[in-house]
Amino acid sequence: MPEDDSFIKIISRIGIDYSQAIKGTKDLAEELRRLGRPLDELAAHAKQTAAQVAAAFSQTSAQAGVTSIAKQNRQILQQNTVFARDYFTSVENRARQHRAFMDRLFSPQMTAHHLNWLIAGVGIYGTFEVLKEGLVDVEKGMKGLQTVLPEIAHNQEAYNQATKEAIDLMQKYGASVDEVISAGRSFGRMYKEVETVMGLVNNSILLNVIDNVKLEQAVRGNEAALAVYGKELKSTNEVLAFSSKFMDSLTRLSHESMASATDLIEIIERSAAAAKNAKTDIDQLMGVGAAAVRATGLPGANIGNMLKTVFAQLSAPTKKVREEIEQIGVKMYDANGQLRSAYDIILDLARATKDATISQDELNEAILKAASGKFQYSKLSSVLGQFDEIVKNTSRSIHAQGVTMQMAAQQLDTIERHAKMLKATLLDTFSGAGD
């Protein structure tokens, strides 16, 4: 069988190994030829013996009957020999035909032919799958979105526009129908304007693309930050500006500190409410949170629970807590008698730790009180050793405007994303959005 080494390598990479079949066919043909040689020799020997017997018995008339019987035996033996040879010739021909079939079946030309059919089949199946998404899944998803967005429930033009915007997001970022619609439903429970909802979905998908955060988690992070720090925001522009800034802060810190965007979102989810109650803004919270992840190596959920405890303690300090902290020179109240922010108190404690202006025992006692007991003590103690990192990360969060969009172009330029964008474009074609 002629072999094409490069072709065999290609076939082997996709899981097909026919070398054993070829070898087996060759071995079968060789074995048949080997078995046929003794039969040929046996036939020749039988023919010679029959001739000798016939000659011997033909010398006398008394032996004429025996001669006749010998001739009959010789003819039968010759016939059997011919039959055996024909049988093995037939088997050998079948083996040769099998080899020829295997040659043709696994030839580069035939394999290319089958691959063409396979690729065409996959393409047809994929087209029908996209057609199904365009005609069924988008429509089904938008009907679900109507339940949280009254604006599109009774206005066909608004419904068509919302559908078009959803598909635009799929085309722009390579997101799936389910991802976009699920995110839209989540934000639709907080906000009722289509523009606001789609803008928030856009921001969340960006975080998913750039920092590889699950879209569901990016949505939850946005919701947590807006629920705590965005309550006073009224207009769509204000809400989207806050969300964009929050995404920028997450993106920059996840690339320039040791905290991932996922860690920071978990910190926000668990401690944002307590932080705000302790007069700590979102940039300060993320600055402390990122430093805490670096100092302790713990996941965001653990850090978030620790900070929630600390902020709760510093936002409503007992007399004992106030005395212990003020004893080391850290003011709990400003000149107007107002309780200072927890962030400022934490920074002063961290500065005292860095400068070592007090004894270790005094510092430990103050930290113990601020941590509300021994359970969170070791974590807070580690964080307070990160004064420079707290300040640096807070500054990074404040000055992060536009970082997300700068990184988006690089992250979107991948084969996987382009494939998803193409699928979304086909989906747009089949859905007839806006018609």
Side-chain angles (χ1 to χ4, degrees):
M1 177 187 297
E3 295 185 2
D4 187 329
D5 290 340
S6 62
F7 172 71
I8 292 176
K9 290 179 181 178
I10 294 173
I11 292 299
S12 298
R13 287 191 179 184
I14 63 174
I16 299 174
D17 183 6
Y18 65 93
S19 59
Q20 293 301 320
I22 295 172
K23 184 177 182 301
T25 303
K26 289 181 177 179
D27 292 344
L28 175 61
E30 182 62 32
E31 184 66 15
L32 292 173
R33 284 194 293 272
R34 188 181 67 78
L35 291 173
R37 284 193 293 271
L39 288 174
D40 289 339
E41 293 173 2
L42 176 62
H45 180 70
K47 183 177 181 180
Q48 182 181 2
T49 300
Q52 290 173 352
V53 171
F57 281 98
S58 63
Q59 294 177 358
T60 63
S61 59
Q63 299 168 329
V66 177
T67 302
S68 176
I69 294 173
K71 288 181 178 180
Q72 292 177 3
N73 289 338
R74 183 178 63 182
Q75 290 175 354
I76 293 172
L77 183 60
Q78 288 176 338
Q79 289 174 355
N80 289 339
T81 301
V82 171
F83 175 78
R85 183 183 294 110
D86 289 344
Y87 172 77
F88 281 101
T89 299
S90 174
V91 173
E92 187 173 3
N93 287 337
R94 287 180 179 275
R96 191 177 294 110
Q97 291 171 2
H98 178 67
R99 287 177 53 196
F101 172 76
M102 295 293 288
D103 275 341
R104 184 171 181 273
L105 179 63
F106 292 105
S107 67
Q109 295 83 1
M110 183 60 71
T111 302
H113 174 73
H114 288 306
L115 284 176
N116 285 336
W117 275 103
L118 178 62
I119 292 171
V122 170
I124 293 171
Y125 175 80
T127 300
F128 278 113
E129 181 64 19
V130 174
L131 179 61
K132 178 256 185 185
E133 287 192 33
L135 296 177
V136 179
D137 292 357
V138 171
E139 183 71 14
K140 180 180 178 182
M142 291 306 297
K143 293 298 183 183
L145 201 57
Q146 283 182 323
T147 62
V148 294
L149 290 177
E151 180 181 348
I152 67 174
H154 307 292
N155 187 327
Q156 185 62 42
E157 185 177 349
Y159 176 90
N160 291 343
Q161 182 60 32
T163 304
K164 184 67 168 63
E165 290 181 14
I167 295 177
D168 284 346
L169 290 176
M170 298 174 209
Q171 290 178 288
K172 188 176 181 181
Y173 300 120
S176 70
V177 174
D178 286 341
E179 287 176 329
V180 172
I181 298 300
S182 295
R185 281 201 302 266
S186 293
F187 287 123
R189 297 185 184 99
M190 294 180 65
Y191 301 97
K192 300 304 176 184
E193 296 79 17
V194 174
E195 184 181 357
T196 303
V197 169
M198 290 304 174
L200 292 173
V201 173
N202 178 86
N203 290 345
S204 298
I205 295 177
L206 270 175
L207 188 65
N208 164 254
V209 170
I210 295 170
D211 294 307
N212 202 28
V213 177
K214 292 181 179 179
L215 183 54
E216 179 184 356
Q217 194 164 31
V219 170
R220 290 206 316 268
N222 244 316
E223 288 176 333
L226 285 164
V228 174
Y229 290 101
K231 282 183 178 180
E232 297 81 9
L233 303 176
K234 302 299 181 183
S235 70
T236 294
N237 289 338
E238 290 176 331
V239 172
L240 295 183
F242 175 88
S243 174
S244 297
K245 170 61 176 59
F246 177 55
M247 295 295 103
D248 288 335
S249 295
L250 288 173
T251 299
R252 182 169 185 184
L253 286 174
S254 68
H255 284 79
E256 297 183 20
S257 74
M258 292 185 66
S260 68
T262 298
D263 286 330
L264 294 170
I265 287 173
E266 290 177 343
I267 290 171
I268 293 293
E269 286 182 294
R270 286 162 175 78
S271 63
K276 186 180 181 185
N277 196 44
K279 302 180 181 180
T280 300
D281 66 36
I282 194 167
D283 292 315
Q284 295 168 342
L285 172 57
M286 289 204 287
V288 174
V293 171
R294 173 190 173 95
T296 65
L298 295 171
N302 200 314
I303 296 299
N305 290 331
M306 180 271 290
L307 290 177
K308 179 174 66 175
T309 301
V310 171
F311 288 135
Q313 182 76 316
L314 295 179
S315 64
T318 63
K319 181 179 179 182
K320 184 65 175 176
V321 170
R322 185 176 70 250
E323 289 175 352
E324 290 291 344
I325 291 179
E326 290 186 343
Q327 187 175 343
I328 64 173
V330 175
K331 299 291 185 182
M332 293 289 291
Y333 294 86
D334 60 22
N336 297 321
Q338 299 295 315
L339 184 66
R340 298 173 67 205
S341 75
Y343 178 79
D344 291 337
I345 295 172
I346 289 172
L347 269 188
D348 285 349
L349 288 171
R351 186 181 292 107
T353 301
K354 177 184 177 183
D355 297 339
T357 57
I358 55 175
S359 70
Q360 190 63 47
D361 288 341
E362 290 176 315
L363 180 60
N364 289 343
E365 189 63 29
I367 296 173
L368 185 63
K369 295 299 180 184
S372 189
K374 294 182 179 180
F375 183 69
Q376 306 291 2
Y377 166 78
S378 61
K379 301 171 194 173
L380 180 59
S381 180
S382 298
V383 175
L384 295 180
Q386 300 288 319
F387 175 82
D388 292 337
E389 197 67 20
I390 293 173
V391 173
K392 189 185 299 181
N393 286 333
T394 303
S395 177
R396 285 169 175 161
S397 180
I398 293 172
H399 302 98
Q401 198 74 32
V403 172
T404 304
M405 290 306 300
Q406 291 173 13
M407 296 186 176
Q410 301 173 6
Q411 298 295 331
L412 286 170
D413 190 20
T414 64
I415 294 176
E416 180 184 8
R417 287 286 173 182
H418 282 302
K420 290 181 178 179
M421 291 175 188
L422 175 59
K423 180 179 178 181
T425 300
L426 292 172
L427 188 151
D428 185 21
T429 302
F430 292 132
S431 70
D435 291 343

Coordinates of all heavy atoms in Angstrom, one line a residue, residues 50 53-58 60-74:
A50 N 0.6 -40.7 -9.8 CA -0.5 -41.3 -10.6 C 0.0 -41.8 -11.9 O -0.4 -42.8 -12.4 CB -1.6 -40.3 -10.7
V53 N 1.9 -45.1 -11.4 CA 1.0 -46.2 -11.1 C 0.3 -46.6 -12.4 O 0.2 -47.8 -12.7 CB 0.0 -45.8 -10.1 CG1 -1.1 -46.9 -9.9 CG2 0.6 -45.5 -8.7
A54 N -0.1 -45.7 -13.2 CA -0.7 -46.0 -14.4 C 0.2 -46.7 -15.4 O -0.2 -47.7 -16.1 CB -1.3 -44.7 -15.1
A55 N 1.4 -46.4 -15.5 CA 2.4 -47.0 -16.3 C 2.7 -48.5 -15.9 O 2.8 -49.4 -16.7 CB 3.7 -46.2 -16.4
A56 N 2.8 -48.6 -14.6 CA 3.1 -50.0 -14.1 C 2.0 -50.9 -14.3 O 2.2 -52.1 -14.7 CB 3.4 -49.9 -12.6
F57 N 0.8 -50.5 -14.2 CA -0.3 -51.5 -14.3 C -0.8 -51.6 -15.8 O -1.6 -52.5 -16.1 CB -1.5 -51.0 -13.5 CG -1.4 -51.3 -12.0 CD1 -0.9 -50.4 -11.1 CD2 -1.7 -52.6 -11.5 CE1 -0.8 -50.6 -9.8 CE2 -1.5 -52.9 -10.2 CZ -1.0 -51.9 -9.3
S58 N -0.3 -50.8 -16.6 CA -0.8 -50.9 -18.0 C 0.1 -51.9 -18.8 O -0.2 -52.2 -20.0 CB -0.6 -49.5 -18.7 OG 0.7 -49.1 -18.7
T60 N 0.3 -55.2 -18.4 CA -0.4 -56.5 -18.6 C -1.9 -56.2 -18.8 O -2.4 -55.3 -18.2 CB -0.2 -57.5 -17.5 OG1 -0.7 -56.9 -16.3 CG2 1.3 -57.8 -17.3
S61 N -2.5 -57.1 -19.6 CA -3.9 -56.9 -19.8 C -4.7 -57.3 -18.6 O -5.8 -56.8 -18.3 CB -4.4 -57.8 -20.9 OG -4.1 -59.2 -20.6
A62 N -4.1 -58.2 -17.7 CA -4.7 -58.5 -16.5 C -4.9 -57.3 -15.5 O -5.7 -57.3 -14.6 CB -4.0 -59.7 -15.8
Q63 N -4.0 -56.4 -15.8 CA -4.0 -55.2 -14.9 C -4.8 -54.1 -15.5 O -4.7 -53.0 -15.0 CB -2.5 -54.8 -14.7 CG -1.7 -55.8 -14.0 CD -0.2 -55.5 -14.0 OE1 0.3 -54.8 -14.9 NE2 0.5 -55.9 -13.0
A64 N -5.5 -54.3 -16.5 CA -6.2 -53.2 -17.2 C -7.3 -52.6 -16.4 O -7.4 -51.4 -16.4 CB -6.9 -53.8 -18.5
G65 N -8.0 -53.4 -15.6 CA -9.0 -52.9 -14.7 C -8.4 -51.9 -13.6 O -8.9 -50.9 -13.3
V66 N -7.3 -52.4 -13.1 CA -6.6 -51.6 -12.1 C -6.1 -50.3 -12.7 O -6.2 -49.2 -12.1 CB -5.4 -52.3 -11.4 CG1 -4.6 -51.5 -10.4 CG2 -5.9 -53.6 -10.8
T67 N -5.6 -50.4 -13.9 CA -5.1 -49.2 -14.6 C -6.3 -48.2 -14.8 O -6.1 -47.0 -14.6 CB -4.6 -49.5 -16.0 OG1 -3.5 -50.5 -15.9 CG2 -4.1 -48.3 -16.7
S68 N -7.4 -48.7 -15.1 CA -8.6 -47.8 -15.2 C -8.9 -47.1 -13.9 O -9.2 -45.9 -13.9 CB -9.8 -48.6 -15.7 OG -10.9 -47.8 -15.8
I69 N -8.9 -47.9 -12.8 CA -9.1 -47.3 -11.5 C -8.1 -46.2 -11.1 O -8.4 -45.1 -10.6 CB -9.1 -48.4 -10.4 CG1 -10.3 -49.3 -10.6 CG2 -9.2 -47.8 -9.0 CD1 -10.3 -50.5 -9.7
A70 N -6.8 -46.5 -11.5 CA -5.7 -45.5 -11.2 C -5.9 -44.2 -12.0 O -5.7 -43.1 -11.4 CB -4.4 -46.1 -11.5
K71 N -6.4 -44.4 -13.2 CA -6.7 -43.2 -14.0 C -7.8 -42.3 -13.4 O -7.7 -41.1 -13.4 CB -7.0 -43.6 -15.5 CG -5.9 -44.1 -16.3 CD -6.3 -44.5 -17.7 CE -5.1 -44.9 -18.5 NZ -5.6 -45.3 -19.9
Q72 N -8.8 -43.0 -12.9 CA -9.9 -42.3 -12.3 C -9.4 -41.6 -11.0 O -9.8 -40.4 -10.8 CB -11.0 -43.3 -11.9 CG -11.7 -43.9 -13.1 CD -12.8 -44.9 -12.7 OE1 -13.0 -45.1 -11.5 NE2 -13.4 -45.5 -13.7
N73 N -8.6 -42.3 -10.2 CA -8.1 -41.7 -9.0 C -7.2 -40.5 -9.4 O -7.2 -39.4 -8.7 CB -7.2 -42.7 -8.2 CG -8.1 -43.7 -7.5 OD1 -9.3 -43.5 -7.3 ND2 -7.5 -44.9 -7.2
R74 N -6.4 -40.6 -10.4 CA -5.5 -39.5 -10.9 C -6.4 -38.3 -11.3 O -6.1 -37.1 -10.9 CB -4.6 -39.9 -12.0 CG -3.7 -38.8 -12.5 CD -2.8 -39.3 -13.6 NE -3.6 -39.7 -14.7 CZ -3.0 -40.1 -15.9 NH1 -1.8 -40.4 -16.0 NH2 -3.8 -40.4 -16.9

